[in-house]
Amino acid sequence: MDFPEELKYSKEHVWVREEGDRAVIGLTDYAQDALGTISAIELPTVGDELEQEDSFGSLEARKTASELYAPISGTVLEINEELDAAPEVINDDPYDGGWIAVVSLDDPEELKSLLSAEDYAEYVSQADEDEE
């Protein structure tokens, strides 16, 4: 599993890349692997107001359907419209081409509640052990 060091992670398996007063968000490599091939995605709408930990969209995969939960609060500035036609890009390239949305970073303090790459790797390792 790949967990880039420069990103922050939520326990709901969404990553955040801070870019000044904006943040790019997407689904982690761990989550896309657990879900299997993603066949559909419901994206937020540009202008939507997100609240940290609230649902902002959903994914359908071969194995299941899953809600997406906002790792931070902010206004949706951009969405990755390419995912409408090719949601499987999240499986192929979760950290670059598979980004989901760009959100205004309304409260930078919220980033402190997210996990580092090392902490997230430990979190998913523990979750895997609990399932066994």
Side-chain angles (χ1 to χ4, degrees), residues 33-102:
D33 185 63
L35 287 169
T37 302
I38 296 170
S39 57
I41 185 167
E42 180 185 319
L43 295 167
T45 303
V46 171
D48 282 356
E49 295 287 331
L50 305 184
E51 290 294 325
Q52 188 177 37
E53 299 180 5
D54 283 354
S55 174
F56 72 95
S58 63
L59 298 166
E60 288 182 28
R62 185 173 20 134
K63 296 179 182 178
T64 188
S66 182
E67 292 289 316
L68 294 167
Y69 294 96
I72 57 168
S73 301
T75 303
V76 177
L77 304 173
E78 297 176 47
I79 57 170
N80 188 349
E81 294 179 10
E82 184 179 316
L83 297 178
D84 279 333
E88 68 279 2
V89 171
I90 294 171
N91 296 108
D92 299 334
D93 193 11
Y95 298 116
D96 289 312
W99 64 276
I100 294 170
V102 177

Side-chain angles (χ1 to χ4, degrees), residues 13 21 33 39 65-66 103 109-110 119 129:
H13 310 291
D21 62 352
D33 185 63
S39 57
S66 182
V103 178
E109 289 294 308
E110 288 179 341
D119 291 341
E129 286 177 19

